[in-house]
Amino acid sequence: MEMNDKYIFPDPSKHPDWITPHSPEWYSKLNSSVGAYRYPWNSTFEMPNAEMMFAEHLSSRITPDSRVLDVGCGHGDFTSIWGYKAKEVIGIDNRENFIKRAEINNNHESTKYLVVNADDELPFPDHYFDIVYTKKGPWLYKEASRILKQSGIILGLYHGGTDGGLRDLFPGLFSPLPYDPYNLDAVEERYKLYQSVGLSQVRIRLLEEVEYLSAPEDVLIKKCFGQSEELKDFVWSQCLKGVKEIFYKHATEKGIRVINYHHLITAKVG
Ligand SMILES: C[S@@+](CC[C@H](N)C(=O)[O-])C[C@H]1O[C@@H](n2cnc3c(N)ncnc32)[C@H](O)[C@@H]1O
């Protein structure tokens, strides 16, 4: 069959084995199977990518006197980069395996990792941290203003979805983005930032990250991140042939170009 613009792939999220990404069940599966939060597909990025931009924002604020909290730190790769720069760094995550992995890799005395549910009351004194951040983890709606110093700042980096043509190229496999990433009011609504207690000067910035998915299989690996082997078998058997055809028609020499929309959120106490 010749692939054309009207071909619709079967939607993997309609399959009975589909696990909603970022749901508790999805995190449990990643936690028990991989023990880390790491993207499994091959790709390259135009630099600086969103993570580097976020790191630059943090780095410019962290001094040798800073106490830093990483909320939803996963297996701690990103948290660990502040160990040499700050007085104290704490990473929290509610998934034990992620924290175990972070502890094994930890080689900074100033850094520690704790299994903590960020939705609960946090085990930290009032006005303790200079910087609280989350990279794609939970936003602290209630506790941020209590645990931050008066001069403190909270930052969040969120992945607001991938597009830049990907969704039109593979309809069915990907559905249209459910919101407009350029509409920052919609972003505020999406993350319910108005529920943040005791925070002011909430600012949102859009960061557009350019990524090249290296091979047709990477399109499917991205779609099936965190899914079961059964689901992956289904998607491969139904979609690989069509994805290959479209991929090779549209790929640059680095692969299929996509845009990851990220939102950088900053807020202060007050
Ligand atoms: C998208 S991952 C990001 C991990 C890491 N910050 C990174 O960027 O690689 C989100 C992380 O938040 C953690 N998480 C989700 N809900 C949480 C909660 N209520 N309390 C603590 N951690 C949570 C997950 O276990 C996961 O490690």
Side-chain angles (χ1 to χ4, degrees):
M1 180 181 20
E2 173 83 4
M3 289 295 151
N4 59 39
D5 290 347
K6 294 194 184 74
Y7 182 81
I8 310 276
F9 290 89
D11 180 349
S13 69
K14 299 278 182 318
H15 191 278
D17 288 338
W18 179 258
I19 308 168
T20 305
H22 305 287
S23 63
E25 187 193 356
W26 186 85
Y27 277 117
S28 290
K29 199 176 160 297
L30 265 191
N31 176 47
S32 57
S33 59
V34 191
Y37 185 87
R38 193 170 280 137
Y39 296 153
W41 58 91
N42 284 319
S43 66
T44 52
F45 291 90
E46 278 179 12
M47 294 299 171
N49 63 11
E51 186 166 313
M52 285 171 73
M53 290 186 243
F54 188 54
E56 275 163 27
H57 275 277
L58 287 169
S59 184
S60 66
R61 292 177 162 100
I62 295 175
T63 71
D65 287 329
S66 300
R67 289 203 169 97
V68 180
L69 177 67
D70 182 343
V71 183
C73 64
H75 55 280
D77 272 9
F78 189 78
T79 328
S80 68
I81 61 182
W82 310 119
Y84 77 96
K85 204 169 192 268
K87 178 159 143 192
E88 185 175 1
V89 181
I90 300 180
I92 59 170
D93 204 285
N94 61 348
R95 300 286 162 189
E96 261 178 48
N97 276 8
F98 290 175
I99 290 296
K100 241 184 236 161
R101 165 94 61 120
E103 278 170 339
I104 290 168
N105 295 336
N106 185 13
N107 47 21
H108 287 289
E109 264 179 32
S110 60
T111 305
K112 70 177 178 212
Y113 295 96
L114 304 170
V115 179
V116 170
N117 185 340
D119 298 333
D120 295 342
E121 275 181 21
L122 301 180
F124 306 118
D126 293 354
H127 311 303
Y128 189 72
F129 292 102
D130 300 277
I131 295 172
V132 169
Y133 73 84
T134 181
K135 187 163 82 63
K136 306 177 194 169
W139 182 254
L140 295 183
Y141 293 100
K142 289 206 187 106
E143 287 280 78
S145 58
R146 183 186 68 76
I147 63 172
L148 270 168
K149 291 183 183 166
Q150 288 303 319
S151 56
I153 183 163
I154 175 166
L155 295 96
L157 180 73
Y158 287 101
H159 193 318
T162 300
D163 200 354
L166 176 79
R167 290 163 187 272
D168 280 346
L169 276 183
F170 306 103
L173 195 53
F174 297 94
S175 43
L177 264 188
Y179 77 110
D180 173 4
Y182 295 93
N183 176 353
L184 299 185
D185 289 339
V187 173
E188 177 150 11
E189 177 67 30
R190 182 180 164 88
Y191 298 118
K192 304 201 182 326
L193 294 172
Y194 51 82
Q195 290 183 0
S196 306
V197 175
L199 295 179
S200 66
Q201 301 177 48
V202 179
R203 297 216 167 89
I204 306 170
R205 247 184 73 189
L206 174 70
L207 307 179
E208 291 179 72
E209 172 184 81
V210 177
E211 181 178 14
Y212 295 88
L213 302 176
S214 307
E217 288 78 0
D218 296 311
V219 175
L220 297 184
I221 295 171
K222 179 174 174 61
K223 181 69 203 184
C224 295
F225 178 34
Q227 302 295 326
S228 66
E229 291 308 312
E230 291 76 12
L231 194 279
K232 287 180 197 161
D233 288 347
F234 167 78
V235 172
W236 257 246
S237 68
Q238 298 294 307
C239 304
L240 184 58
K241 187 169 174 289
V243 166
K244 274 187 174 166
E245 212 168 292
I246 294 170
F247 186 96
Y248 289 122
K249 225 184 258 178
H250 295 272
T252 69
E253 60 184 18
K254 292 190 234 168
I256 285 274
R257 183 181 188 276
V258 302
I259 296 180
N260 299 315
Y261 298 104
H262 284 78
H263 293 108
L264 172 68
I265 301 166
T266 56
K268 294 196 164 164
V269 183

